[in-house]
Amino acid sequence: MVTTVTSFGRSGVFDWLYQRVTAVVLAAYTLFIVGFIFLTDDFGYQAWSALFQNFWMRIFSLVALLSVVVHAWIGLWSVVTDYLTNRMMGPKATVLRVLAQTVLGAVAVIYTVWGIQILWGV
Amino acid sequence: MNKSRPVNLDISTIKLPAAALVSILHRVSGVVLFAVMALLLWMLGTSLESEQGFASVAETFSSVPAKLILWASLAALIYHLVAGVRHLFMDLGIGESLEGGRRGAVLVLVLSVILILAVGVWLW
């Protein structure tokens, strides 16, 4: 089994599976939001805020938010390890790659906390 | 570390057929979308704050430069979604052959362009 992994899933197989499952969640969420905006008569603040008052909508949104973070982490890991390499960028690539992943990880954490604050905001 | 380790794919030396173009655009749009998340979260937070907040988000996207940013963001979303669905189909064993991969790639490009143009028309 492939052991060089994103350090997200336990192996490349789990990364692959997480990537697919989160993709399906995100596609469903995107289509739901687009559908809601187009199918709601008189779409505006009232309908919009009423939607997010629903407990299930907050859960659906939270799952979508976490899916973005997981999906993006695996995807960005692939991108970063393909392009920020010693072969393509010289000996400093490793430092640059670790730095890039640290920043991306921090942004992912900020998105998560920010999103939860919005969904269960004061 | 062994400096001349075997390389899986030397992507810097590969030409871009349709499937490769679809693949690299999928990556580019994915990176763009990660950045766009900040914009989406701002839109969600502000629009849910109050009636005025909702109106101010709508107001923000009335100017042409802001509309272009929104359009570019939606283009990344549409493209990433369409190309992602192709991946899911291929996981089910559909369009995995060389010719199938080519057709799927062209289909993704055509479909995305149509949808992105449609969204552009809707925005203006």
Side-chain angles (χ1 to χ4, degrees), chain A residues 55-69:
Chain A
F55 181 70
W56 60 263
M57 187 56 194
R58 290 181 180 179
I59 296 297
F60 190 18
S61 303
L62 179 65
V63 172
L65 177 68
L66 296 177
S67 293
V68 166
V69 170

Side-chain angles (χ1 to χ4, degrees), chain A residues 15-119:
Chain A
D15 280 353
W16 178 88
L17 191 62
Y18 287 140
Q19 193 77 321
R20 266 62 187 179
V21 171
T22 54
V24 172
V25 170
L26 291 170
Y29 192 76
T30 306
L31 294 178
F32 175 81
I33 294 286
V34 171
F36 184 85
I37 291 173
F38 277 99
L39 299 177
T40 306
D41 302 322
D42 193 28
F43 174 76
Y45 174 72
Q46 297 304 331
W48 187 238
S49 63
L51 174 67
F52 282 89
Q53 294 293 321
N54 285 309
F55 181 70
W56 60 263
M57 187 56 194
R58 290 181 180 179
I59 296 297
F60 190 18
S61 303
L62 179 65
V63 172
L65 177 68
L66 296 177
S67 293
V68 166
V69 170
V70 171
H71 192 90
W73 181 256
I74 296 170
L76 289 171
W77 178 90
S78 310
V79 169
V80 164
T81 50
D82 269 351
Y83 305 117
L84 300 183
T85 61
N86 291 354
R87 185 164 50 84
M88 287 182 84
M89 307 203 56
K92 280 183 187 146
T94 307
V95 177
L96 202 62
R97 190 170 65 246
V98 171
L99 201 69
Q101 290 222 262
T102 309
V103 171
L104 292 171
V107 173
V109 170
I110 292 168
Y111 282 168
T112 310
V113 175
W114 186 11
I116 292 170
Q117 272 186 335
I118 292 169
L119 291 171

